[in-house]
Amino acid sequence: MKDQSFEVRTDLAVEAKDMYVEKEEKKEQQIPGVTISEKKIGNIEVTNVEVDEEGAKAIGKNPGSYHTVYSNAIKQQDTKSQEETAKVVTKQLLELMNKNHVAQDASGLIVGLGNRNVTPDALGPLAIDKVLVTNHLFIHEPQYVQDGYRKVATINPGVMGVTGIETSDIIKGVIEKYKPGFVIAIDALASRSIERVNATIQLSDSGIHPGSGVGNKRKELSKETLGVPVFAIGVPTVVDAVTITSDAIDYVLKHIGKEWREKDEPSKSLTPAGLNFGERSLSDEDLPPIEKREKIFGMIGALDEQEKRALMQEVLTPLGHNLMVTPKEIDGYIKDMAHLLAEALNAAMHENVNIKNFANYTR
C-alpha cells in the first residue's frame, strides 16, 4: 500500500487570493460584475468583494460575497488586537448571514474541517471545541434555555484520507437528520502569498472546496450541494515552495529597487551598512522598472506573476520539491486563531453573546 502522505490525510483548501485585484491595478482594471471595497478599522484591513453571475464567469469563481480581514494580531501574539480582530470577524459574518436572510432563531451546524492530528490543518477541529453548543439543551432541557440563544451543533467530519468517506457525504447525512437552517464551515487554507499566512481570515457565502489547496479537491460544500446556506471561514496556515520562491524573487527585486531609489537620501549616509532602524516594509512601488529587473534576473525578471509561478511549478513539481511549509510557531498560532474564531462565532450565533462579552462564553 502506498504511504499515507500529508496530502491524502489533509483536506486543506486553497486561498482565494486571486479574487482580489491589487490596489495599484484597481485604478486601471475594472472587472465587469466584480465590485471591490476596502476599509480600515484601527490596524485591521477589511476587503469586501461582490461577484455576480457575469463576474463569476470572468474570474472563474462562484458568485457571492467574499470578505477578507487582514490582521497581524496572531503573528504578533497581541491579545488585545486578537479581540479586536474577533469583533471585526463577527461583524463580517453577521453581514453575510443577514444578506442571506438567516433568521435570528435559525439553527446552525458549524463544521470544523480538517485533521486535528496535522497541526496546520487542525484549525477547524480546534475552533469547534471552543464553540458554545446548545442543540442538546433545546432537546433535553428546554426549560433552562433563555431567550437570546439559537440551536447550535458542531461536527468534525475528519478527512477522507483518515475516514475513507467523502467529507460532503458525512455532512449531508448530518444535515438530513439535524435539518439546520445554515452551515458554517471552518477550514485551513494553502496561501498564495507568504505575508498572508496566519494573517488573513476569509469569509464567504459561496461555499468551499476541501482539499483544493493540496491538489486533492473534494466535493464542493455550498448551498447548491447541501441545500442550505453555507458560509465558509478560511485561514491560510501553509504556503507551498512555488509561492515562497516566487515571492522571494519579488522581495529581492523590491529590496534592490528601494535601495536604488533611496541611495542618495541623506539618511542613508548616516546609517551603518546592513543596519535598519524600525520595521522595514516593501511595497509594489519599490519594484524597479522591467529593464532593470531583466538586468538583475535576466529572463525571469521580465516575467509577470502568473508566468513566474507557472515556471516555478514546472521546475519544482516534477522534482517533488513543491513542499508545503508552515511557520515554526504554528502550534501557538493555531490555538490562538481557533480561540479568535470561536469568540467571533459565539457572538454571531447568539443574541445574548456579543462582542462585549464573548470572552465569557469561549472556553
Side-chain angles (χ1 to χ4, degrees):
M1 180 181 292
K2 184 183 285 189
D3 177 46
Q4 295 283 358
S5 67
F6 175 85
E7 180 173 334
V8 299
R9 287 188 175 270
T10 304
D11 274 354
L12 285 161
V14 69
E15 183 197 24
K17 177 176 177 282
D18 54 341
M19 284 290 307
Y20 310 106
V21 182
E22 297 297 330
K23 293 180 183 178
E24 288 74 13
E25 296 176 357
K26 286 182 197 174
K27 299 174 184 176
E28 303 174 1
Q29 180 181 354
Q30 293 294 330
I31 303 174
V34 179
T35 305
I36 303 173
S37 63
E38 291 180 324
K39 60 184 175 182
K40 196 163 185 178
I41 305 170
N43 293 321
I44 302 167
E45 299 175 14
V46 180
T47 302
N48 294 342
V49 180
E50 298 292 333
V51 182
D52 62 18
E53 294 291 344
E54 181 184 8
K57 293 178 182 177
I59 63 178
K61 297 290 181 182
N62 291 339
S65 298
Y66 298 80
H67 297 195
T68 297
V69 177
Y70 183 91
S71 168
N72 277 318
I74 296 297
K75 287 182 176 180
Q76 294 172 350
Q77 297 182 308
D78 186 332
T79 303
K80 185 175 181 181
S81 286
Q82 289 174 16
E83 286 195 359
E84 293 302 316
T85 304
K87 294 176 183 179
V88 174
V89 174
T90 297
K91 292 177 181 178
Q92 299 305 308
L93 181 55
L94 286 173
E95 281 185 22
L96 289 175
M97 293 173 68
N98 291 334
K99 179 196 169 190
N100 287 269
H101 311 293
V102 174
Q104 285 282 353
D105 60 348
S107 59
L109 175 64
I110 302 178
V111 182
L113 295 170
N115 184 349
R116 68 169 65 242
N117 297 315
V118 179
T119 304
D121 195 27
L123 179 63
L126 291 181
I128 63 171
D129 286 348
K130 295 174 174 286
V131 167
L132 177 63
V133 293
T134 56
N135 182 62
H136 59 303
L137 299 177
F138 277 91
I139 295 173
H140 299 293
E141 299 185 46
Q143 68 273 20
Y144 295 114
V145 181
Q146 299 177 358
D147 293 336
Y149 295 92
R150 75 166 85 227
K151 291 182 180 180
V152 173
T154 65
I155 179 178
N156 170 217
V159 295
M160 192 174 182
V162 173
T163 65
I165 305 173
E166 186 72 57
T167 301
S168 61
D169 291 340
I170 296 174
I171 298 171
K172 275 184 181 179
V174 174
I175 288 175
E176 289 174 6
K177 182 69 176 178
Y178 175 47
K179 294 182 171 53
F182 62 93
V183 170
I184 297 177
I186 308 168
D187 200 8
L189 308 176
S191 181
R192 291 179 173 174
S193 169
I194 295 174
E195 66 178 358
R196 297 167 74 92
V197 176
N198 298 302
T200 61
I201 301 170
Q202 298 187 353
L203 305 94
S204 76
D205 58 5
S206 61
I208 191 170
H209 280 282
S212 56
V214 288
N216 191 26
K217 204 168 184 178
R218 305 261 61 85
K219 290 182 181 177
E220 178 182 88
L221 304 178
S222 65
K223 185 175 182 179
E224 287 67 32
T225 60
L226 299 181
V228 295
V230 176
F231 305 100
I233 301 177
V235 178
T237 61
V238 301
V239 64
D240 65 2
V242 166
T243 298
I244 294 173
T245 309
S246 178
D247 283 3
I249 291 173
D250 285 343
Y251 284 134
V252 170
L253 289 170
K254 290 174 184 178
H255 171 77
I256 293 173
K258 188 168 188 174
E259 290 293 317
W260 180 265
R261 183 162 48 86
E262 296 177 351
K263 64 182 173 59
D264 295 325
E265 292 185 5
S267 60
K268 278 292 181 182
S269 61
L270 300 174
T271 305
L275 183 62
N276 292 311
F277 296 100
E279 185 177 341
R280 183 177 176 84
S281 62
L282 297 170
S283 68
D284 288 341
E285 295 176 358
D286 296 318
L287 277 174
I290 191 166
E291 59 271 13
K292 287 188 177 179
R293 290 185 235 169
E294 285 189 88
K295 288 181 181 178
I296 299 167
F297 276 115
M299 180 187 71
I300 294 177
L303 298 177
D304 63 27
E305 180 66 22
Q306 287 187 336
E307 291 171 335
K308 189 156 75 271
R309 288 184 62 89
L311 175 61
M312 302 304 167
Q313 187 90 32
E314 182 181 342
V315 172
L316 294 176
T317 302
L319 298 173
H321 295 337
N322 190 20
L323 309 177
M324 284 289 174
V325 182
T326 195
K328 64 181 185 297
E329 307 91 347
I330 190 63
D331 296 81
Y333 289 167
I334 290 293
K335 288 178 182 177
D336 288 348
M337 185 63 80
H339 189 84
L340 186 158
L341 293 181
E343 287 184 325
L345 285 164
N346 288 339
M349 293 299 96
H350 308 286
E351 190 178 351
N352 278 3
V353 185
N354 54 58
I355 58 178
K356 294 181 180 179
N357 67 7
F358 56 33
N360 298 333
Y361 292 85
T362 307
R363 294 176 285 182

